[in-house]
Amino acid sequence: MSQSWREQIGDERFRELGHRPPPPIDDKIWAAIIAVATSWMLFRGRYRFIQWFSTLLVGSFTAITLINLGLLQVDPIWHVRWDDIVTGMQFRIPPGQQGSAAVMTALATFGIIGVGASELIVYPYWCLEKGYARFTGPFEDHASWYERAHGWLRVMQWDAWGSMVIYTLATVAFYLLGAAILGRSGLDPQSHELIRTLSTMYEPVFGDWATILFLFGSFAVLYSTFFVANASHARVLSDTLGVLGLAQATDAAKARRIRLLSALFPIVCLVIYVAVPRPAQLVLLGGLLQAIMLPMLAAAALFFRYVRTPIPLRPGGLWDLFLWLSALGMAIAGGAALVLKIRQFLA
């Protein structure tokens, strides 16, 4: 943080923002409570309530974040300037080791920002369980079937466009808040201080309410992600075991596996957190692994587009262009992440 910023906000506030609170003593207790409760709800199949409740909470927090960014613009100290945006959009990275770390962080977050690799894998499960394929009906080489299929493909396109608008707005708003508050203050969210440090992004607008608001929002976002991710991973692993011939492929056996795995995954997450209590690093590691998965998903999408899709259902040229651009971006991000990680390992 520059001297000019310190002069503007005052020495007392400068020291307050730079203060590092001591590590909490109850984080593992709360982690255990949440993990056990989630395990029980997933085993019992309490999906509908969590789906609507988490949607409401996440939507509310997203709105609060956008309002926070808007109100921040009237603050003479913390507002985002056009010069800041122009500087941030320049293709520059810090020199040396710091630059490599910045690139790795960017690639890791690329894997989880917006619709990440895991969401791309899980979305077909969501479509199946919501009945997209059921409403289309069994395949028939007939105009009426293709018409129904086109209708549900249009629904999926609305899903894609809607999610893109939402996650782009939320990501840009959160990034600008982080650059304006955390970047200028020199705060780096680390380890046990992650949530408390991030909550400072809401202090200039909401004051003493900032911590409460951010705790509410972070719980909504993180817990809904935790809940859905565990349920999703259970479905993917269950299918994997069936495809590899390591488990029965009947519907009844699959349903039992999903319930058991759904109950198991939250406990596994708890064990990992207790063993490695560094949430920021764990998030970035997960993002990096997802970034490496992206080229595989791009290849699968191209395979289904050109090999498995019936001719009447094939998209137009514009969608093909978007598909190839996405595949190229995924290949670059995943390949670069893998190369940098190998270099770090060999260094």
Side-chain angles (χ1 to χ4, degrees), residues 30-47 50 223 226-231 234-235 256-271:
W30 281 108
I33 293 173
I34 291 173
V36 172
T38 304
S39 178
W40 178 82
M41 285 189 290
L42 288 172
F43 184 78
R44 295 296 300 272
R46 307 287 184 176
Y47 298 112
I50 294 296
Y223 183 71
F226 180 69
F227 187 93
V228 172
N230 284 299
R235 284 156 171 76
R256 287 195 299 270
R257 284 200 305 274
I258 289 176
R259 292 185 66 187
L260 292 175
L261 291 172
S262 295
L264 176 63
F265 272 119
I267 306 303
V268 173
C269 293
L270 172 63
V271 172

Short mmCIF file of all heavy atoms in Angstrom, two decimals, residues 30-47 50 223 226-231 234-235 256-271:
data_model
loop_
_atom_site.label_atom_id
_atom_site.label_comp_id
_atom_site.label_asym_id
_atom_site.label_seq_id
_atom_site.Cartn_x
_atom_site.Cartn_y
_atom_site.Cartn_z
N TRP A 30 -16.68 -26.52 14.11
CA TRP A 30 -17.74 -26.14 13.18
C TRP A 30 -17.65 -26.95 11.89
O TRP A 30 -18.68 -27.32 11.30
CB TRP A 30 -17.66 -24.65 12.86
CG TRP A 30 -18.24 -23.80 13.94
CD1 TRP A 30 -17.58 -23.02 14.83
CD2 TRP A 30 -19.64 -23.68 14.25
NE1 TRP A 30 -18.46 -22.40 15.68
CE2 TRP A 30 -19.74 -22.79 15.35
CE3 TRP A 30 -20.80 -24.22 13.73
CZ2 TRP A 30 -20.95 -22.43 15.91
CZ3 TRP A 30 -22.02 -23.86 14.29
CH2 TRP A 30 -22.09 -22.99 15.36
N ALA A 31 -16.43 -27.23 11.45
CA ALA A 31 -16.27 -28.05 10.25
C ALA A 31 -16.86 -29.44 10.46
O ALA A 31 -17.53 -29.99 9.57
CB ALA A 31 -14.79 -28.15 9.88
N ALA A 32 -16.65 -29.99 11.65
CA ALA A 32 -17.20 -31.32 11.94
C ALA A 32 -18.72 -31.28 11.99
O ALA A 32 -19.40 -32.19 11.47
CB ALA A 32 -16.64 -31.82 13.27
N ILE A 33 -19.28 -30.24 12.60
CA ILE A 33 -20.74 -30.13 12.68
C ILE A 33 -21.35 -30.04 11.28
O ILE A 33 -22.33 -30.73 10.96
CB ILE A 33 -21.13 -28.89 13.53
CG1 ILE A 33 -20.72 -29.10 14.99
CG2 ILE A 33 -22.63 -28.62 13.42
CD1 ILE A 33 -20.91 -27.87 15.85
N ILE A 34 -20.77 -29.19 10.45
CA ILE A 34 -21.30 -29.01 9.09
C ILE A 34 -21.14 -30.29 8.28
O ILE A 34 -22.05 -30.70 7.54
CB ILE A 34 -20.58 -27.83 8.41
CG1 ILE A 34 -20.99 -26.52 9.08
CG2 ILE A 34 -20.91 -27.79 6.91
CD1 ILE A 34 -20.23 -25.31 8.59
N ALA A 35 -19.99 -30.95 8.40
CA ALA A 35 -19.75 -32.17 7.63
C ALA A 35 -20.74 -33.27 8.03
O ALA A 35 -21.32 -33.94 7.16
CB ALA A 35 -18.32 -32.65 7.83
N VAL A 36 -20.94 -33.46 9.32
CA VAL A 36 -21.85 -34.51 9.77
C VAL A 36 -23.29 -34.18 9.37
O VAL A 36 -24.04 -35.06 8.91
CB VAL A 36 -21.74 -34.68 11.30
CG1 VAL A 36 -22.82 -35.62 11.82
CG2 VAL A 36 -20.35 -35.22 11.67
N ALA A 37 -23.69 -32.92 9.53
CA ALA A 37 -25.06 -32.53 9.15
C ALA A 37 -25.28 -32.71 7.65
O ALA A 37 -26.34 -33.20 7.22
CB ALA A 37 -25.31 -31.07 9.55
N THR A 38 -24.30 -32.33 6.86
CA THR A 38 -24.42 -32.49 5.41
C THR A 38 -24.47 -33.96 5.02
O THR A 38 -25.25 -34.36 4.14
CB THR A 38 -23.23 -31.80 4.70
OG1 THR A 38 -23.18 -30.43 5.09
CG2 THR A 38 -23.37 -31.89 3.19
N SER A 39 -23.64 -34.75 5.66
CA SER A 39 -23.64 -36.19 5.39
C SER A 39 -25.02 -36.78 5.66
O SER A 39 -25.54 -37.58 4.86
CB SER A 39 -22.58 -36.87 6.26
OG SER A 39 -22.58 -38.26 6.06
N TRP A 40 -25.63 -36.38 6.77
CA TRP A 40 -26.96 -36.90 7.11
C TRP A 40 -28.00 -36.45 6.09
O TRP A 40 -28.83 -37.26 5.64
CB TRP A 40 -27.35 -36.43 8.51
CG TRP A 40 -28.72 -36.88 8.92
CD1 TRP A 40 -29.07 -38.10 9.43
CD2 TRP A 40 -29.93 -36.12 8.84
NE1 TRP A 40 -30.42 -38.15 9.69
CE2 TRP A 40 -30.97 -36.94 9.33
CE3 TRP A 40 -30.23 -34.83 8.42
CZ2 TRP A 40 -32.29 -36.51 9.39
CZ3 TRP A 40 -31.54 -34.40 8.48
CH2 TRP A 40 -32.55 -35.24 8.97
N MET A 41 -27.98 -35.17 5.71
CA MET A 41 -28.98 -34.66 4.76
C MET A 41 -28.83 -35.32 3.39
O MET A 41 -29.82 -35.65 2.73
CB MET A 41 -28.86 -33.14 4.64
CG MET A 41 -29.42 -32.39 5.83
SD MET A 41 -29.52 -30.60 5.55
CE MET A 41 -27.78 -30.17 5.56
N LEU A 42 -27.59 -35.52 2.96
CA LEU A 42 -27.39 -36.16 1.66
C LEU A 42 -27.82 -37.62 1.70
O LEU A 42 -28.37 -38.15 0.73
CB LEU A 42 -25.91 -36.06 1.26
CG LEU A 42 -25.44 -34.67 0.83
CD1 LEU A 42 -23.93 -34.64 0.64
CD2 LEU A 42 -26.13 -34.24 -0.46
N PHE A 43 -27.56 -38.28 2.81
CA PHE A 43 -27.98 -39.68 2.93
C PHE A 43 -29.50 -39.80 2.92
O PHE A 43 -30.05 -40.73 2.33
CB PHE A 43 -27.41 -40.28 4.22
CG PHE A 43 -27.72 -41.74 4.38
CD1 PHE A 43 -27.00 -42.70 3.68
CD2 PHE A 43 -28.73 -42.17 5.23
CE1 PHE A 43 -27.29 -44.05 3.81
CE2 PHE A 43 -29.03 -43.51 5.37
CZ PHE A 43 -28.30 -44.46 4.66
N ARG A 44 -30.17 -38.83 3.54
CA ARG A 44 -31.63 -38.84 3.58
C ARG A 44 -32.25 -38.28 2.31
O ARG A 44 -33.46 -38.40 2.10
CB ARG A 44 -32.12 -38.05 4.79
CG ARG A 44 -31.75 -38.64 6.14
CD ARG A 44 -32.40 -39.99 6.35
NE ARG A 44 -33.85 -39.89 6.30
CZ ARG A 44 -34.61 -39.62 7.35
NH1 ARG A 44 -34.06 -39.42 8.54
NH2 ARG A 44 -35.92 -39.56 7.23
N GLY A 45 -31.44 -37.64 1.47
CA GLY A 45 -31.95 -37.11 0.22
C GLY A 45 -32.69 -35.79 0.35
O GLY A 45 -33.67 -35.54 -0.36
N ARG A 46 -32.23 -34.90 1.24
CA ARG A 46 -32.88 -33.60 1.45
C ARG A 46 -32.37 -32.59 0.42
O ARG A 46 -31.64 -31.66 0.73
CB ARG A 46 -32.59 -33.09 2.86
CG ARG A 46 -32.93 -34.08 3.96
CD ARG A 46 -34.42 -34.20 4.16
NE ARG A 46 -34.76 -35.07 5.28
CZ ARG A 46 -35.98 -35.28 5.72
NH1 ARG A 46 -37.00 -34.68 5.13
NH2 ARG A 46 -36.21 -36.09 6.74
N TYR A 47 -32.77 -32.78 -0.83
CA TYR A 47 -32.22 -31.95 -1.89
C TYR A 47 -33.07 -30.71 -2.19
O TYR A 47 -32.55 -29.62 -2.40
CB TYR A 47 -32.07 -32.75 -3.19
CG TYR A 47 -31.13 -33.92 -3.07
CD1 TYR A 47 -31.60 -35.23 -3.14
CD2 TYR A 47 -29.77 -33.71 -2.87
CE1 TYR A 47 -30.73 -36.30 -3.03
CE2 TYR A 47 -28.90 -34.78 -2.75
CZ TYR A 47 -29.39 -36.07 -2.83
OH TYR A 47 -28.53 -37.13 -2.71
N ILE A 50 -32.65 -27.66 0.18
CA ILE A 50 -31.33 -27.04 0.04
C ILE A 50 -31.23 -26.31 -1.30
O ILE A 50 -30.66 -25.22 -1.39
CB ILE A 50 -30.22 -28.11 0.15
CG1 ILE A 50 -30.20 -28.70 1.56
CG2 ILE A 50 -28.87 -27.52 -0.20
CD1 ILE A 50 -29.84 -27.71 2.64
N TYR A 223 -21.46 -23.05 1.41
CA TYR A 223 -22.16 -24.26 1.83
C TYR A 223 -22.98 -24.86 0.69
O TYR A 223 -23.03 -26.09 0.54
CB TYR A 223 -23.08 -23.99 3.02
CG TYR A 223 -23.75 -25.27 3.47
CD1 TYR A 223 -23.01 -26.25 4.12
CD2 TYR A 223 -25.09 -25.52 3.21
CE1 TYR A 223 -23.58 -27.45 4.50
CE2 TYR A 223 -25.68 -26.71 3.60
CZ TYR A 223 -24.92 -27.67 4.24
OH TYR A 223 -25.49 -28.86 4.61
N PHE A 226 -20.54 -26.70 -1.29
CA PHE A 226 -20.13 -27.91 -0.58
C PHE A 226 -21.20 -29.00 -0.69
O PHE A 226 -20.91 -30.17 -0.97
CB PHE A 226 -19.88 -27.56 0.88
CG PHE A 226 -19.44 -28.71 1.75
CD1 PHE A 226 -18.20 -29.30 1.57
CD2 PHE A 226 -20.27 -29.21 2.74
CE1 PHE A 226 -17.79 -30.36 2.38
CE2 PHE A 226 -19.88 -30.26 3.55
CZ PHE A 226 -18.64 -30.84 3.36
N PHE A 227 -22.44 -28.60 -0.49
CA PHE A 227 -23.55 -29.56 -0.53
C PHE A 227 -23.70 -30.16 -1.93
O PHE A 227 -23.74 -31.39 -2.10
CB PHE A 227 -24.84 -28.85 -0.12
CG PHE A 227 -26.02 -29.77 0.04
CD1 PHE A 227 -26.33 -30.31 1.27
CD2 PHE A 227 -26.83 -30.07 -1.04
CE1 PHE A 227 -27.42 -31.16 1.42
CE2 PHE A 227 -27.91 -30.92 -0.91
CZ PHE A 227 -28.21 -31.46 0.33
N VAL A 228 -23.75 -29.29 -2.92
CA VAL A 228 -23.97 -29.75 -4.29
C VAL A 228 -22.77 -30.56 -4.80
O VAL A 228 -22.93 -31.57 -5.48
CB VAL A 228 -24.25 -28.55 -5.22
CG1 VAL A 228 -24.29 -28.99 -6.67
CG2 VAL A 228 -25.56 -27.88 -4.83
N ALA A 229 -21.56 -30.11 -4.45
CA ALA A 229 -20.36 -30.81 -4.93
C ALA A 229 -20.31 -32.24 -4.40
O ALA A 229 -19.97 -33.17 -5.14
CB ALA A 229 -19.11 -30.04 -4.51
N ASN A 230 -20.63 -32.42 -3.13
CA ASN A 230 -20.59 -33.77 -2.58
C ASN A 230 -21.64 -34.67 -3.21
O ASN A 230 -21.38 -35.84 -3.52
CB ASN A 230 -20.77 -33.72 -1.06
CG ASN A 230 -19.52 -33.26 -0.34
OD1 ASN A 230 -18.47 -33.89 -0.42
ND2 ASN A 230 -19.61 -32.14 0.35
N ALA A 231 -22.84 -34.13 -3.40
CA ALA A 231 -23.88 -34.91 -4.07
C ALA A 231 -23.47 -35.24 -5.51
O ALA A 231 -23.73 -36.34 -6.01
CB ALA A 231 -25.19 -34.13 -4.06
N ALA A 234 -20.63 -37.90 -5.73
CA ALA A 234 -21.16 -39.24 -5.46
C ALA A 234 -21.74 -39.86 -6.72
O ALA A 234 -21.55 -41.06 -6.99
CB ALA A 234 -22.22 -39.16 -4.36
N ARG A 235 -22.43 -39.06 -7.51
CA ARG A 235 -23.01 -39.57 -8.76
C ARG A 235 -21.93 -39.93 -9.77
O ARG A 235 -22.01 -40.96 -10.45
CB ARG A 235 -23.97 -38.53 -9.34
CG ARG A 235 -25.29 -38.47 -8.58
CD ARG A 235 -25.99 -37.14 -8.72
NE ARG A 235 -27.33 -37.20 -8.16
CZ ARG A 235 -27.60 -37.18 -6.86
NH1 ARG A 235 -26.61 -37.11 -5.99
NH2 ARG A 235 -28.85 -37.25 -6.44
N ARG A 256 -28.28 -46.95 -4.21
CA ARG A 256 -27.66 -47.22 -2.91
C ARG A 256 -26.25 -46.65 -2.85
O ARG A 256 -25.85 -46.07 -1.84
CB ARG A 256 -27.63 -48.73 -2.66
CG ARG A 256 -28.98 -49.34 -2.33
CD ARG A 256 -28.80 -50.74 -1.74
NE ARG A 256 -28.14 -51.64 -2.70
CZ ARG A 256 -28.77 -52.39 -3.59
NH1 ARG A 256 -30.10 -52.34 -3.68
NH2 ARG A 256 -28.09 -53.19 -4.40
N ARG A 257 -25.49 -46.82 -3.94
CA ARG A 257 -24.12 -46.28 -3.96
C ARG A 257 -24.13 -44.77 -3.81
O ARG A 257 -23.30 -44.19 -3.11
CB ARG A 257 -23.41 -46.67 -5.26
CG ARG A 257 -22.94 -48.10 -5.33
CD ARG A 257 -21.87 -48.26 -6.39
NE ARG A 257 -22.28 -47.79 -7.70
CZ ARG A 257 -22.95 -48.51 -8.59
NH1 ARG A 257 -23.32 -49.75 -8.28
NH2 ARG A 257 -23.25 -48.03 -9.77
N ILE A 258 -25.05 -44.12 -4.50
CA ILE A 258 -25.10 -42.66 -4.44
C ILE A 258 -25.38 -42.19 -3.02
O ILE A 258 -24.75 -41.24 -2.52
CB ILE A 258 -26.17 -42.12 -5.42
CG1 ILE A 258 -25.69 -42.31 -6.86
CG2 ILE A 258 -26.47 -40.65 -5.15
CD1 ILE A 258 -26.71 -41.91 -7.91
N ARG A 259 -26.30 -42.84 -2.33
CA ARG A 259 -26.61 -42.45 -0.95
C ARG A 259 -25.40 -42.64 -0.04
O ARG A 259 -25.07 -41.77 0.76
CB ARG A 259 -27.79 -43.26 -0.43
CG ARG A 259 -29.12 -42.93 -1.10
CD ARG A 259 -30.25 -43.69 -0.45
NE ARG A 259 -30.46 -43.25 0.93
CZ ARG A 259 -31.31 -43.84 1.77
NH1 ARG A 259 -32.00 -44.91 1.37
NH2 ARG A 259 -31.46 -43.39 2.99
N LEU A 260 -24.74 -43.79 -0.19
CA LEU A 260 -23.58 -44.06 0.68
C LEU A 260 -22.42 -43.12 0.37
O LEU A 260 -21.78 -42.58 1.28
CB LEU A 260 -23.15 -45.52 0.51
CG LEU A 260 -24.13 -46.57 1.04
CD1 LEU A 260 -23.65 -47.98 0.70
CD2 LEU A 260 -24.30 -46.42 2.55
N LEU A 261 -22.14 -42.92 -0.91
CA LEU A 261 -21.04 -42.03 -1.28
C LEU A 261 -21.35 -40.58 -0.91
O LEU A 261 -20.45 -39.82 -0.52
CB LEU A 261 -20.75 -42.15 -2.78
CG LEU A 261 -20.15 -43.49 -3.23
CD1 LEU A 261 -20.10 -43.56 -4.75
CD2 LEU A 261 -18.75 -43.67 -2.65
N SER A 262 -22.61 -40.19 -1.04
CA SER A 262 -23.00 -38.83 -0.65
C SER A 262 -22.75 -38.60 0.83
O SER A 262 -22.37 -37.49 1.25
CB SER A 262 -24.47 -38.58 -0.98
OG SER A 262 -24.71 -38.62 -2.37
N ALA A 263 -22.98 -39.63 1.63
CA ALA A 263 -22.72 -39.51 3.06
C ALA A 263 -21.23 -39.56 3.37
O ALA A 263 -20.77 -38.97 4.36
CB ALA A 263 -23.45 -40.63 3.81
N LEU A 264 -20.46 -40.24 2.54
CA LEU A 264 -19.03 -40.41 2.80
C LEU A 264 -18.22 -39.18 2.44
O LEU A 264 -17.29 -38.79 3.17
CB LEU A 264 -18.52 -41.62 2.02
CG LEU A 264 -17.00 -41.89 2.09
CD1 LEU A 264 -16.58 -42.21 3.52
CD2 LEU A 264 -16.62 -43.02 1.14
N PHE A 265 -18.54 -38.54 1.32
CA PHE A 265 -17.70 -37.45 0.82
C PHE A 265 -17.55 -36.28 1.81
O PHE A 265 -16.45 -35.73 1.96
CB PHE A 265 -18.22 -36.95 -0.52
CG PHE A 265 -17.65 -37.70 -1.69
CD1 PHE A 265 -18.48 -38.41 -2.55
CD2 PHE A 265 -16.29 -37.70 -1.94
CE1 PHE A 265 -17.97 -39.11 -3.63
CE2 PHE A 265 -15.76 -38.40 -3.02
CZ PHE A 265 -16.60 -39.11 -3.86
N PRO A 266 -18.61 -35.82 2.49
CA PRO A 266 -18.41 -34.74 3.45
C PRO A 266 -17.43 -35.11 4.56
O PRO A 266 -16.66 -34.25 5.03
CB PRO A 266 -19.82 -34.49 4.01
CG PRO A 266 -20.73 -34.97 2.95
CD PRO A 266 -20.05 -36.15 2.34
N ILE A 267 -17.44 -36.37 4.98
CA ILE A 267 -16.50 -36.80 6.02
C ILE A 267 -15.07 -36.79 5.48
O ILE A 267 -14.12 -36.41 6.18
CB ILE A 267 -16.88 -38.20 6.53
CG1 ILE A 267 -18.35 -38.22 6.99
CG2 ILE A 267 -15.96 -38.61 7.67
CD1 ILE A 267 -18.68 -37.21 8.05
N VAL A 268 -14.91 -37.19 4.22
CA VAL A 268 -13.58 -37.13 3.59
C VAL A 268 -13.08 -35.69 3.54
O VAL A 268 -11.91 -35.40 3.83
CB VAL A 268 -13.63 -37.74 2.18
CG1 VAL A 268 -12.30 -37.53 1.45
CG2 VAL A 268 -13.96 -39.23 2.25
N CYS A 269 -13.97 -34.77 3.19
CA CYS A 269 -13.60 -33.35 3.15
C CYS A 269 -13.17 -32.87 4.54
O CYS A 269 -12.21 -32.09 4.67
CB CYS A 269 -14.77 -32.51 2.65
SG CYS A 269 -15.20 -32.79 0.92
N LEU A 270 -13.87 -33.31 5.56
CA LEU A 270 -13.52 -32.93 6.93
C LEU A 270 -12.13 -33.43 7.29
O LEU A 270 -11.32 -32.68 7.86
CB LEU A 270 -14.56 -33.50 7.90
CG LEU A 270 -14.23 -33.35 9.40
CD1 LEU A 270 -14.18 -31.88 9.79
CD2 LEU A 270 -15.26 -34.10 10.24
N VAL A 271 -11.83 -34.66 6.94
CA VAL A 271 -10.51 -35.23 7.25
C VAL A 271 -9.42 -34.44 6.54
O VAL A 271 -8.36 -34.15 7.12
CB VAL A 271 -10.47 -36.72 6.84
CG1 VAL A 271 -9.05 -37.27 6.97
CG2 VAL A 271 -11.43 -37.53 7.70
#
